[in-house]
Amino acid sequence: RLPEGQGSLQRGRNVMRDRKKKTGAKYRAALGIFAGAALLALTAGCRIGQDIEPESVIMDGKGGQNAQEEEIDGAEERLQVMASFYTMADFAEKIGGSQADVTCMVPTGTEPHDWEPSTTDITGLERADVFIYNGAGMEHWAEDVAESLENQKLLVVEASDGIALQEEASHAGHSHSHGGYDPHVWLDPQNAKLEMENIKNAFVQADPDNGAYYEANYEKWAKKADELDQKYREALAPFEGRQVVTAHEAYGYLCSAYGLEQLGIDGLSPDSEPNPRRMADIIDFVREHQIRAVFFEELSGSKTAETVAAETGIELLALSPLEGLSDEELAAGDDYFSVMEKNLGQLLLALGREAE
């Protein structure tokens, strides 16, 4: 959306590509294991991965695994899609609908930043039609794994392609890197719409016979993204320029889109922790600016956010980066849009206004 950002976008991806070259041998070795497992499975007359503990979640157009024999033929006709983590899987399921079987690679309740695919996941990629990942450094393993696969038909989609990336903030004591850029682009609904468009384009390419169906689904959800964006704009307009304190700096795109200023206790990854000097600075800032709440992530929690809340007496509120949902959220039927609605309510509480 910002042409001047494309140069920095390419430089950032070059940095990440150099980083990934170091791990190529590991995934090529995993492919060797996969080939042996495939041969063993064929000998036993069963599907690959049937007797392996499942590590991925299937999110198909039927709402579950294709266990019934009468569904097998239909499943083979549908697009077989592997998506790196929850939000990519959710977008893929929205666009693919009944014409795609979507597998979310990162298990439910797992923090995805340092997750890596297992042999079972590589098996799935070798059989898939489409592989969707966010990019921008979110999945440090993705490009290297994709290059190591033997699946010649696989269409690889970097969903964040074409989005101008924000630089990753640097803090002392923060060792986790995403290649210099913040990968959480989907927290701006307009970026989410662009990611769904990239996914839609891939599905149309992989399955042109159902192209009109994917186009119609995209138009439906693009409209929902525009409506969500407008709701955020109207609700947050009175608070332009206000600061929000977060456990980790995962909300830069969201804050930039709606005129807020993010102050992260530490960097982008929940596994990083700040040094004592930064903690002291955050606590002083909260007191000086009369901040009402500090945000944490339910999936990973945050001792640092708890410490700030305890030291200052402010409220501790959850704000989801939508990297994954809990079992309870999935059971309740939550998705990208419902969680973003909840996030808006939490932001309004922190800024001093009840959500309507």
Side-chain angles (χ1 to χ4, degrees):
R1 294 186 298 168
L2 298 174
E4 63 271 17
Q6 298 306 306
S8 61
L9 173 65
Q10 186 59 48
R11 287 194 298 274
R13 287 179 176 147
N14 288 340
V15 170
M16 290 182 279
R17 191 171 294 109
D18 291 340
R19 176 187 169 200
K20 296 184 188 85
K21 288 180 180 178
K22 299 179 181 179
T23 59
K26 178 173 69 173
Y27 294 112
R28 282 187 286 274
L31 284 175
I33 297 172
F34 155 72
L39 180 61
L40 180 62
L42 288 172
T43 304
C46 63
R47 284 201 319 159
I48 296 172
Q50 188 176 26
D51 298 320
I52 300 174
E53 182 69 20
E55 297 189 25
S56 303
V57 179
I58 295 178
M59 303 170 62
D60 62 25
K62 299 293 183 182
Q65 294 188 3
N66 301 310
Q68 298 181 359
E69 291 182 2
E70 58 267 27
E71 292 185 359
I72 292 177
D73 290 339
E76 290 176 351
E77 294 175 359
R78 295 195 290 268
L79 277 179
Q80 300 302 303
V81 181
M82 298 287 285
S84 58
F85 67 98
Y86 171 75
T87 301
M88 297 300 100
D90 186 36
F91 291 168
E93 191 176 37
K94 284 172 165 47
I95 303 302
S98 63
Q99 297 303 316
D101 289 339
V102 179
T103 299
C104 181
M105 297 173 69
V106 175
T108 303
T110 300
E111 206 286 319
H113 283 270
D114 292 317
W115 179 89
E116 292 188 356
S118 68
T119 305
T120 306
D121 296 305
I122 295 174
T123 299
L125 288 169
E126 289 289 6
R127 300 171 60 194
D129 300 305
V130 182
F131 167 45
I132 301 166
Y133 72 107
N134 180 76
M138 182 68 186
E139 308 92 338
H140 65 89
W141 49 268
E143 290 185 14
D144 198 74
V145 167
E147 290 172 2
S148 300
L149 296 172
E150 296 179 1
N151 184 354
Q152 297 299 312
K153 72 173 183 177
L154 184 67
L155 187 59
V156 179
V157 184
E158 184 177 15
S160 66
D161 187 38
I163 296 174
L165 303 180
Q166 296 181 2
E167 292 187 2
E168 177 180 0
S170 177
H171 300 308
H174 175 217
S175 59
H176 191 101
S177 176
H178 292 82
Y181 290 89
D182 179 355
H184 303 87
V185 297
W186 59 88
L187 291 174
D188 176 349
Q190 290 301 317
N191 287 344
K193 183 169 77 169
L194 289 173
E195 293 205 301
M196 285 189 283
E197 183 177 15
N198 285 336
I199 293 169
K200 177 264 296 181
N201 290 341
F203 284 6
V204 171
Q205 181 180 341
D207 181 21
D209 290 345
N210 288 303
Y213 175 78
Y214 301 132
E215 292 281 359
N217 284 348
Y218 166 72
E219 292 299 330
K220 169 187 173 181
W221 293 107
K223 181 179 178 181
K224 292 281 189 182
D226 287 336
E227 291 171 352
L228 179 65
D229 174 56
Q230 185 60 30
K231 187 169 185 177
Y232 263 76
R233 291 188 185 282
E234 292 175 357
L236 295 176
F239 305 103
E240 185 173 357
R242 291 278 296 276
Q243 296 90 0
V244 293
V245 178
T246 62
H248 301 99
E249 292 186 331
Y251 309 93
Y253 296 96
L254 187 155
C255 288
S256 295
Y258 305 111
L260 302 176
E261 180 182 341
Q262 172 186 230
L263 180 64
I265 298 175
D266 203 62
L268 294 168
S269 173
D271 63 5
S272 59
E273 299 294 343
N275 60 25
R277 173 60 184 272
R278 180 157 182 82
M279 283 291 291
D281 290 343
I282 294 290
I283 289 170
D284 289 343
F285 181 90
V286 166
R287 289 170 173 159
E288 179 182 351
H289 292 83
Q290 298 181 324
I291 301 296
R292 295 168 56 98
V294 58
F295 290 110
F296 74 100
E297 302 169 20
E298 286 186 323
L299 196 62
S300 58
S302 175
K303 292 182 180 179
T304 56
E306 293 172 5
T307 299
V308 170
E311 288 287 332
T312 59
I314 64 176
E315 193 170 0
L316 189 64
L317 297 176
L319 193 67
S320 175
L322 272 157
E323 295 172 350
L325 299 189
S326 66
D327 289 328
E328 292 76 16
E329 288 173 319
L330 289 173
D334 280 329
D335 69 347
Y336 171 82
F337 291 94
S338 66
V339 174
M340 285 293 288
E341 292 270 6
K342 293 178 184 178
N343 279 351
L344 178 57
Q346 295 290 75
L347 284 167
L348 291 174
L349 284 176
L351 294 167
R353 173 178 151 189
E354 293 288 341
E356 295 178 359

